[in-house]
Amino acid sequence: MAEEEQLILPVIDSHVHLYRAQDVESFNWWKPDLPLAAGAQFLPQYKRAVRAAPSLLGFIFVEADRKFDLEAGDGSGWDEPLREVALMRRVALGEPEEGDEGLEPEDGKLCLALVPWAPVPSGPAAMEKYIERVKEEAGDAWPKVKGFRYLVQDKPHGTMLEPEFIESLKLLGRRGFVFEVGVDARRRGKKQMDELVAMIDTAHEGVPEEDKVTFVINHLCKPDLTIYNITSDPSFHNWRTAIYTLSKCSKTYMKLSGAFSEMPPALRVESPSHIFQSTLGWLGIVLATFGAERIMFGSDWPVCTIGEPEQEEEEEEEEEEDKKDDGGKEDKEESRGRDTWTRWRDVVEKMCWMASLGDEERAMIFGGTAKKAYGL
């Protein structure tokens, strides 16, 4: 099958963050000079980013690290995450309220699942109370809440091995929820990767298969994609060993997402072919270990857009017309006028093509695995 014929399968974007301009100061990562804090990253902006993907079935709305306080015993430390759940509800139902500029009723069908924040380190009793609060806040969108996330990538070593943390994970498993895992191999090293493996093993130990929590690992574990010589780099070897071990864990999936954040700035704006060639060492390991049935496409929008050159829509359309007029320039200039969402989709397509994957395997990566992992 020709490579250009492979862009027809339905796509589920398994990792999207959405927020309005008035929400930006509520995030833990907020700084006034950050590009992502410059304004809304909401439905109008996302739909513009995916305009070249007519086969998009929808997306999974993942929490974006709002400010919280685990020490507030009265639950007031959950206020911002619960406000995010309220926003998730309106998106999932297509029911805009004042301030939800650009949210339209038909957008509800695009939102396939919700993954809010949860106070996992606080233990199962607090988790039970919090889940009930989420159920109340989500209202009619509650059936779309398929899992919860608590980022450990920037937390002290040992956080995810604390007894209360493990018991919270077991509770999520009994309740049928996914736990979305965010770790950082590049900045936290081998120790955090080893703890991730230990966390999964401990959370599953002695638990009946039907009650084991499903783990969805974000962003390839954030490997260092700036490495030039992977054959001799110890951090690559440590990452590879951990990925192999993780692939042996039951009910554990990996997202093909977040790669742009770990690349050198110059690589982010290159063509899909160039990006694929530069990341083949990592993508090949994940595909070989997890297999197509346990990896899923995710854009990590809008984080993926950091470093993307700003262009007016009219200029983009002109460049697309130029490509049509001069097909010989397509390969050299295929990154011009194309946003990062489309480029990453094309990188994953090239991975499928180079691995000679069949339509069923490609369908799993671009949608089937997400359906399976999240119970869509």
Side-chain angles (χ1 to χ4, degrees):
M1 181 182 293
E3 183 177 2
E4 59 270 17
E5 295 176 353
Q6 295 201 5
L7 301 179
I8 57 175
L9 289 175
V11 176
I12 293 175
D13 186 346
S14 70
H15 204 96
V16 171
H17 309 292
L18 298 172
Y19 54 88
R20 308 162 305 165
Q22 59 266 45
D23 299 329
V24 293
E25 293 187 33
S26 69
F27 294 113
N28 282 312
W29 48 262
W30 178 81
K31 292 180 182 178
D33 58 340
L34 285 179
L36 292 181
Q41 301 292 341
F42 203 41
L43 267 300
Q45 292 78 17
Y46 179 72
K47 288 190 289 186
R48 182 167 179 257
V50 301
R51 65 195 180 281
S55 60
L56 181 72
L57 285 180
F59 59 83
I60 295 174
F61 187 162
V62 179
E63 66 92 21
D65 195 19
R66 297 229 183 179
K67 295 176 182 178
F68 60 86
D69 181 5
L70 295 178
E71 303 303 319
D74 61 354
S76 60
W78 305 338
D79 287 351
E80 285 299 337
L82 289 170
R83 288 191 185 98
E84 186 173 46
V85 173
L87 179 64
M88 288 180 167
R89 179 194 72 234
R90 300 196 299 273
V91 170
L93 299 178
E95 295 179 352
E97 294 181 0
E98 184 178 356
D100 297 339
E101 284 82 3
L103 174 60
E104 300 174 353
E106 58 267 26
D107 292 330
K109 64 180 182 294
L110 280 176
C111 184
L112 303 179
L114 305 172
V115 181
W117 174 90
V120 181
S122 298
M127 284 286 290
E128 287 278 18
K129 294 178 182 177
Y130 178 77
I131 290 172
E132 286 305 307
R133 294 283 302 277
V134 170
K135 186 175 182 180
E136 293 172 9
E137 201 66 61
D140 290 342
W142 171 246
K144 288 190 177 183
V145 176
K146 298 299 184 181
F148 293 90
R149 186 170 83 149
Y150 179 84
L151 288 173
V152 294
Q153 61 193 32
D154 58 345
K155 305 303 185 292
H157 286 303
T159 296
M160 55 182 141
L161 296 180
E162 290 290 338
E164 294 279 49
F165 200 102
I166 296 296
E167 291 305 313
S168 291
L169 297 179
K170 291 181 178 180
L171 168 66
L172 291 179
R174 292 193 297 272
R175 295 286 298 268
F177 290 115
V178 166
F179 181 60
E180 190 115 352
V181 188
V183 294
D184 193 335
R186 178 178 180 178
R187 296 161 190 85
R188 304 302 300 281
K190 182 176 183 295
K191 184 172 179 60
Q192 189 166 77
M193 295 295 284
D194 288 345
E195 288 185 0
L196 172 60
V197 173
M199 177 190 73
I200 295 174
D201 286 344
T202 307
H204 283 174
E205 186 177 8
V207 177
E209 189 66 24
E210 64 272 17
D211 289 339
K212 289 180 179 178
V213 61
T214 295
F215 291 96
V216 176
I217 304 172
N218 295 175
H219 310 334
L220 308 169
C221 294
K222 287 181 168 283
D224 185 354
L225 300 183
T226 67
I227 296 171
Y228 179 73
N229 186 356
I230 61 176
T231 59
S232 61
D233 190 277
S235 67
F236 176 80
H237 292 168
N238 292 334
W239 174 86
R240 180 182 61 187
T241 299
I243 294 298
Y244 178 81
T245 305
L246 289 166
S247 73
K248 302 299 180 184
C249 297
S250 66
K251 302 182 78 169
T252 302
Y253 299 85
M254 179 70 74
K255 284 186 178 179
L256 295 175
S257 60
F260 284 116
S261 298
E262 312 309 322
M263 293 178 189
L267 180 58
R268 296 175 196 162
V269 296
E270 285 288 351
S271 70
S273 294
H274 193 132
I275 294 171
F276 170 71
Q277 291 167 6
S278 299
T279 57
L280 176 59
W282 291 268
L283 294 177
I285 292 293
V286 171
L287 179 60
T289 52
F290 276 82
E293 70 282 355
R294 290 203 292 146
I295 58 179
M296 66 185 84
F297 168 81
S299 68
D300 193 26
W301 190 93
V303 182
C304 66
T305 66
I306 296 177
E308 177 76 4
E310 291 292 332
Q311 291 178 308
E312 294 295 330
E313 190 168 1
E314 292 79 8
E315 292 175 345
E316 294 178 348
E317 291 172 351
E318 288 174 3
E319 288 175 345
E320 291 298 323
E321 289 301 319
D322 289 343
K323 292 177 187 178
K324 293 176 183 177
D325 294 339
D326 187 358
K329 294 182 180 179
E330 174 68 28
D331 185 58
K332 290 183 180 179
E333 301 185 358
E334 64 179 323
S335 68
R336 291 179 59 214
R338 304 184 70 173
D339 52 64
T340 45
W341 195 99
T342 305
R343 277 209 307 285
W344 183 244
R345 190 271 315 271
D346 291 353
V347 170
V348 177
E349 278 285 6
K350 290 179 185 299
M351 180 196 75
C352 295
W353 183 70
M354 290 297 290
S356 300
L357 299 185
D359 285 347
E360 290 186 5
E361 292 170 304
R362 289 173 52 241
M364 288 299 294
I365 291 172
F366 280 102
T369 301
K371 289 181 179 179
K372 179 182 177 184
Y374 290 96
L376 303 182

